[in-house]
Amino acid sequence: MEEGGQRDRGRRAPATAQAEERRIFLELGEQNFDAICLSTYRTACKLRFIQKRCNLHLIDIYNVIEAVRDAGLNAVELNAGISVTRLENLVSSLFNQLSKRLPTTHTINPQQSTVLLVEFLLAPDSRLTVLSVKAMLATLCGGKLVDKLRYVFSQVSDPNGVLVLSKFDQFLREALKLPTAVYEGPSFGYTQTLARSCFPQQKRVMLNMFLDIVADPPQCLIWLPLMHRLANVEHVYHPVSCSYCRSNGMTGFRYRCLRCRGYQLCQNCFWRGNTSGSHSNKHQMKEHSSWKSPATKIGRALSRTLGCVSSREPPHPVYPEEPERTLNLANIVYDMTSQHSHIYYTKCQKVIPTRSINFDANKQKRELIAQLESKNREILAEIKRLRAEHDAVCQPSPEKGSTNPTLLAELRLLRQRKDELEQRMSSLQESRRELMVQLEGLMKLLKAQAAGSSHSSPSRPSPSAVRSVGAVPSQTHMYPPQDSLAGVGGDVQEAFAQGPRRNLRNDLLVAADSITNTVSSLVKELHSDDSREEEERLLNGKERGTVLFPTIFFYCIYAVLNHLIG
């Protein structure tokens, strides 16, 4: 199998794959991680970069378990070799499923991620086994460290839940290939005594003891929890300035000197050994992964003093030591002769009726699940019924409204009232236009009389002019009623100028005032003539009707306006 994997890799060595392999290590060198003095932080930063570059930080351990199961690797021995083609199919399925889960705003290139990851996994050693693939994928994927260690423990423990030291040694051999791939082998390379040094005082290592790696990791795996802490603090902001680079605010870790008061460094300056003033690299520094205001610190200190909160939280949940045993159905026989089926366990040709506690517990769980599902179906049906009733009330059908006699009667009354209002409006508009045309004619006649009286003796208006004035209303019926002043003179338009929401009664009163002013001015012009001629005309009585005409005319106009207004 291993030889087949090597042959597959030999056949699969195109220029594109080699370029991708070189590119990821070139990009790693451009990050200048080698300037970090501390090997632990240097290794964690490099592996974190590889994790994000290959998009493995978007895949958790449960996605890895599912892909391994679908690839059929659970039925293969851990020490069995795996070909490159099978590895490519496994990694490709991981990223294809990831691209389906991601939102449309965040897309990846599954093929490119597959090439990058496969070439990185094959970089330290081309002879891969099932255990090496599981170990490296479980170490580099995202998610919680506790869940990843639980999966690793399930691969290196026996059926009783006890760690098998030889399997754990193989896991360390494969997992430590990752620091070697990023050129950190001298610091975290594999040695044969590593497995025993991780748990020196313990003979039986159970799950919870194995999970203590989270809080107190061995020296060979100290970079693993640090890589997860790096991922957690990538976007943490500290509103304080660095004492060396003087940057406004810090992102990531913050380091505070326990000897120099108020001396704080950002993670870039601390990792590279930058110091200033009286501070020295030999001083003890405290690492902070979050920012807490002074008021918050005082409150938490008082709470610890008063015993309101626990001073220390457990590093990981406590799990049962004994693994859950699955029900063995190999020797179960059902007795179909009785009313209810009884379970019998056959051993040494003796039939002994027994009841499995686990079976009863599972039966109760199934019954409870069935009850909850039934209740859920009832609730969904009730919600559906209420929604249908609400839609029926809010959106009545047009057929239902057309057959309602009360609604039809109300609609007929509304239409009839609308027609009456429209007829009334038309008649009012027609009357208004007739009045405006009459007033225009009469005002023209008055102006003509006033102009004649200034040049010659006033004369009585001719019957033809009176007839023309009287005939005006009959002509107005030739035009359709309009709510405008088109066709009338400027005096009437000024008197009946339309404003916002004008009233007919107010327009008529304004017109009456205008006519009164016009008549008054006409009387003044008539009295401005020579007094003797006026007295002679009065004595002779020839033009008495002319003098009395404005008063009579005003009385007639007033009567017409009063009739219209009333």
Side-chain angles (χ1 to χ4, degrees), residues 186-207:
S187 301
F188 299 101
Y190 170 78
T191 59
Q192 296 181 355
T193 60
L194 285 179
R196 178 61 62 183
S197 63
C198 292
F199 307 100
Q201 304 296 332
Q202 304 296 332
K203 296 182 179 180
R204 288 172 53 91
V205 178
M206 310 297 287
L207 174 60

Side-chain angles (χ1 to χ4, degrees), residues 106 116 173-174 196 321 359 374 384 411 415 481 558:
H106 189 180
L116 288 174
R173 184 192 300 270
E174 303 300 335
R196 178 61 62 183
E321 299 290 351
F359 182 77
S374 176
K384 185 177 181 180
L411 290 175
R415 292 194 185 98
Y558 182 79

Side-chain angles (χ1 to χ4, degrees), residues 244-255:
Y244 180 83
C245 63
R246 304 296 179 183
S247 60
N248 294 326
M250 307 178 188
T251 302
F253 287 118
R254 174 173 56 92
Y255 297 90

Side-chain angles (χ1 to χ4, degrees), residues 441-475:
L442 292 176
M443 292 179 71
K444 287 181 179 179
L445 182 60
L446 288 175
K447 287 185 178 180
Q449 266 191 340
S453 63
S454 62
H455 299 286
S456 61
S457 60
S459 60
R460 189 181 301 275
S462 61
S464 61
V466 175
R467 284 195 301 272
S468 66
V469 174
V472 169
S474 62
Q475 296 176 358

Side-chain angles (χ1 to χ4, degrees), residues 366-506:
R366 287 194 295 269
E367 291 177 355
L368 180 60
I369 292 173
Q371 294 176 3
L372 293 176
E373 290 178 349
S374 176
K375 190 66 176 179
N376 185 37
R377 286 192 295 269
E378 293 177 1
I379 294 174
L380 291 177
E382 183 68 16
I383 293 174
K384 185 177 181 180
R385 184 184 63 81
L386 293 175
R387 186 176 297 166
E389 292 180 358
H390 181 268
D391 295 341
V393 172
C394 295
Q395 298 179 358
S397 60
E399 293 80 5
K400 184 184 295 184
S402 61
T403 58
N404 192 349
T406 305
L407 183 59
L408 291 176
E410 291 180 357
L411 290 175
R412 282 195 295 269
L413 290 175
L414 289 175
R415 292 194 185 98
Q416 184 178 358
R417 180 60 177 169
K418 179 183 178 183
D419 296 338
E420 293 177 357
L421 292 175
E422 290 179 351
Q423 293 177 2
R424 178 62 177 168
M425 181 63 69
S426 299
S427 62
L428 290 176
Q429 290 177 351
E430 184 177 359
S431 301
R432 180 184 182 188
R433 181 169 180 81
E434 291 177 359
L435 176 60
M436 288 189 294
V437 174
Q438 291 180 10
L439 291 177
E440 179 67 18
L442 292 176
M443 292 179 71
K444 287 181 179 179
L445 182 60
L446 288 175
K447 287 185 178 180
Q449 266 191 340
S453 63
S454 62
H455 299 286
S456 61
S457 60
S459 60
R460 189 181 301 275
S462 61
S464 61
V466 175
R467 284 195 301 272
S468 66
V469 174
V472 169
S474 62
Q475 296 176 358
T476 60
H477 296 285
M478 300 173 60
Y479 303 96
Q482 299 178 357
D483 193 13
S484 65
L485 299 177
V488 299
D491 296 332
V492 178
Q493 288 183 1
E494 183 178 359
F496 286 89
Q498 290 187 359
R501 305 183 65 88
R502 299 293 298 266
N503 194 312
L504 181 60
R505 184 184 297 270
N506 296 334

